Amino acid sequence: MSRNDLAGAATITTKVPSRLDRLPWSRWHWMIVIGLGTVWILDGLEVTIVGNIASRLSEDGSGLPITDAQVTGVAAALYVAGACAGALFFGWLTDRFGRKRLFLVTLAVYLIATALTALSFSLWWFLLFRFLTGFGIGGEYAAINSAIDELIPSKYRGRVDLIINGSYWLGAMGGALLSVLALDTDIFPKDVGWRLTFALGLVLGLVILLVRRHVPESPRWMFIHGKSEGAEELVTEVERDIEAEKGRPLPEAETEITIRQRRGVGFLEIGRTVFRDYPKRATLGFSLFIGQAFLYNAITFGFGSILVRFFGVSSGTTGYFFAVIAFGNFLGPLLLGRLFDTWGRRPMIAGTYILSGVLLFVTAAMFGAGWLTATTMTLCWCVVLFFASAGASSAYLTVSEIFPMETRAMSIAFFYAIGTAAGGISGPLIFSSLTSSGVVADAVLAFCIGAALMVLAGLVAVFFAVAAEQRSLEDIATPLSVVGADDTGGPGGTAAGTGGKPGAPPGAPTA
């Protein structure tokens, strides 16, 4: 590694990215997956619990003066609004102060807000702390996705990212089954059981916090932000442990990169980079997030209410049905994730979005014709969401790998916030009135809106998706700090923004 001070900034040459990418799968990687990926279980637990206890919260004797529509509409929208705000706020801090600091802070925010939600005594208290719970979860999306992609080898990045994001549905299964137990009035009073469901989220969060303390900072972030010695020492220690675990030496890392260290990136530079240099990738990110946000935030928030209203299912047993579709959601990324690394990003992203949209249109038609029961409706949703879940998870993967490293967390936050605000805030507000009206045609319309947006997003992916499979992050999007970039810090070469590989300046890694 060479060093040369220029105007207070250091220029370094390092092999850290290629050293990380050529690592075989190891216990160290499992520690990262467990420490960081488990937060999606908490998010799934949160959203599912609220969806399944909506009918119970609105009943007399719950201890909370709230209606079903307020739970699935206003409270759901505030949770998502908090997630959007948290993603933007903590996303900027993550790019500036590091991944590790922020994924500890965001989890702490979640824990405190969840504990106070369990103590809700009035509508305003419940709504306030649903917003703050979302605020912490939104920050997690930015900090965790950026850290995962920067620590996981390129060979496994797609499947690992999808499975981790898909683990949300393990939490959803747990939340669904937990709600059945907590809502059983033979075990817990009406005003106690739903509080215990939030308390469980607090307990799980504390366990995750203990594991997460051992997850390291991203070496990629470290060498750009003036901590190159620490990055080298960390990677060397990891290599030593993996060689001892595998019983053989690692192959030599061949590719090096020369960068000019910097403290952070301003909002104007981020915006200029995303929209001027990568307009097609920006369009792709928006499309994927809006499509999946409408489908999930708008419809699954109210799934329990749909079962109760249209099929006469008891509010205390909706959790069993939701556990089934949650299982289908988890199987999607688990079984299809590998194909995103082998078949490729473009065919898999486009295919999962379009197929899930088409299947949802079919489900809406059968529901409108009166051909479905609570059981067959749930099975149809299970099939739809098997593909939709893999597609939705790939949205997070996509925006976390197709923009320069210095903007990664903020890019995730920005696309998550804008896409989710469009689909996740307006969706529950619009669809809660449609699904709570008791009119079949209104619910069919809700399904068709979600289906149409998924299909449209899939068509955008057909043309704009980036072939990022098994490629280094620095190859997919040249870092702004690379020596040889233009004076504005944008990527070198002429291909930036075409939706393919930006031209790499001298010293940048090659495919």
Side-chain angles (χ1 to χ4, degrees):
M1 178 179 67
S2 62
R3 179 179 296 276
N4 180 32
D5 289 330
L6 293 173
T11 299
I12 67 166
T13 299
T14 179
K15 292 185 177 181
V16 163
S18 60
R19 290 167 66 187
L20 289 170
D21 279 337
R22 83 8 170 144
L23 293 176
W25 193 260
S26 66
R27 288 191 297 265
W28 185 74
H29 295 108
W30 277 117
M31 181 265 293
I32 293 169
V33 169
I34 295 172
L36 298 183
T38 42
V39 70
W40 271 256
I41 296 177
L42 291 179
D43 191 15
L45 188 74
E46 283 289 324
V47 174
T48 308
I49 282 175
V50 173
N52 283 296
I53 68 175
S55 298
R56 176 56 51 83
L57 282 174
S58 62
E59 293 176 0
D60 292 335
S62 71
L64 197 62
I66 193 170
T67 67
D68 193 310
Q70 285 175 328
V71 179
T72 60
V74 179
L78 283 173
Y79 176 85
V80 176
C84 294
L88 291 171
F89 178 71
F90 289 118
W92 179 75
L93 293 178
T94 297
D95 278 334
R96 188 169 185 82
F97 297 108
R99 292 23 174 158
K100 184 177 178 67
R101 290 182 185 178
L102 270 298
F103 60 58
L104 292 175
V105 171
T106 53
L107 183 56
V109 171
Y110 163 83
L111 291 173
I112 294 171
T114 298
L116 293 174
T117 301
L119 301 177
S120 295
F121 59 89
S122 67
L123 176 61
W124 71 265
W125 181 284
F126 181 79
L127 296 179
L128 171 63
F129 287 104
R130 286 308 294 160
F131 174 86
L132 292 177
T133 301
F135 193 72
I137 286 293
E140 289 275 294
Y141 280 120
I144 303 304
N145 269 303
S146 54
I148 288 170
D149 279 6
E150 290 168 10
L151 292 169
I152 298 299
S154 57
K155 179 180 180 181
Y156 307 102
R157 187 175 61 242
R159 72 197 74 176
V160 170
D161 197 293
L162 258 70
I163 292 172
I164 285 177
N165 279 282
S167 68
Y168 170 100
W169 294 102
L170 290 178
M173 290 174 61
L177 295 175
L178 176 65
S179 68
V180 173
L181 176 65
L183 297 180
D184 189 340
T185 53
D186 292 334
I187 303 176
F188 302 108
K190 277 187 177 182
D191 61 342
V192 173
W194 65 267
R195 300 180 190 275
L196 295 178
T197 61
F198 289 107
L200 178 64
L202 175 64
V203 173
L204 290 178
L206 288 171
V207 173
I208 293 172
L209 186 62
L210 294 175
V211 176
R212 188 172 288 184
R213 293 181 307 158
H214 303 290
V215 177
E217 180 58 86
S218 164
R220 283 178 157 102
W221 182 89
M222 292 172 71
F223 72 70
I224 284 181
H225 291 80
K227 303 178 184 294
S228 53
E229 291 88 353
E232 296 284 342
E233 291 173 2
L234 172 59
V235 176
T236 298
E237 180 181 351
V238 171
E239 290 172 331
R240 187 185 307 118
D241 291 343
I242 292 178
E243 285 181 337
E245 177 186 339
K246 302 298 181 181
R248 63 179 185 275
L250 295 170
E252 184 67 26
E254 298 179 355
T255 306
E256 62 184 23
I257 183 172
T258 300
I259 63 100
R260 185 171 51 253
Q261 292 180 324
R262 59 198 297 167
R263 285 184 60 109
V265 181
F267 285 109
L268 288 178
E269 187 173 2
I270 292 173
R272 184 171 58 238
T273 300
V274 171
F275 295 106
R276 183 196 67 182
D277 299 328
Y278 298 96
K280 293 184 179 179
R281 298 184 184 195
T283 301
L284 174 68
F286 280 129
S287 301
L288 297 182
F289 268 99
I290 290 173
Q292 64 89 24
F294 259 99
L295 181 69
Y296 279 100
N297 290 303
I299 297 177
T300 58
F301 262 121
F303 184 74
S305 297
I306 292 173
L307 291 177
V308 172
R309 191 169 303 277
F310 292 103
F311 297 105
V313 175
S314 168
S315 63
T317 60
T318 57
Y320 291 121
F321 294 89
F322 201 90
V324 174
I325 67 169
F327 183 63
N329 270 285
F330 178 65
L331 284 181
L334 180 66
L335 300 180
L336 300 178
R338 181 182 181 88
L339 300 179
F340 284 77
D341 285 325
T342 54
W343 285 11
R345 303 287 199 263
R346 178 174 293 143
M348 290 305 299
I349 295 173
T352 51
Y353 267 80
I354 293 173
L355 184 56
S356 61
V358 170
L359 290 173
L360 183 53
F361 274 126
V362 174
T363 300
M366 291 192 296
F367 175 67
W371 296 347
L372 300 178
T373 64
T375 300
T376 54
M377 178 74 167
T378 300
L379 291 176
C380 286
W381 266 98
C382 191
V383 175
V384 169
L385 297 177
F386 174 84
F387 296 101
S389 179
S393 296
S394 72
Y396 294 92
L397 167 67
T398 297
V399 299
S400 67
E401 67 182 1
I402 63 175
F403 297 104
M405 206 221 78
E406 297 88 341
T407 70
R408 180 160 295 119
M410 196 59 203
S411 294
I412 297 169
F414 183 73
F415 285 100
Y416 171 80
I418 299 300
T420 303
I425 297 177
S426 60
L429 293 174
I430 295 171
F431 291 176
S432 63
S433 61
L434 290 175
T435 57
S436 64
S437 69
V439 178
V440 171
D442 289 346
V444 170
L445 176 61
F447 296 165
C448 289
I449 292 174
L453 289 172
M454 287 295 283
V455 171
L456 289 174
L459 293 176
V460 172
V462 170
F463 297 100
F464 291 167
V466 180
E469 57 274 8
Q470 302 193 37
R471 291 170 60 188
S472 167
L473 294 171
E474 291 73 22
D475 177 39
I476 299 167
T478 304
L480 304 182
S481 306
V482 162
V483 173
D486 61 34
D487 293 338
T488 65
T494 60
T498 63
K501 171 187 171 183
T510 56

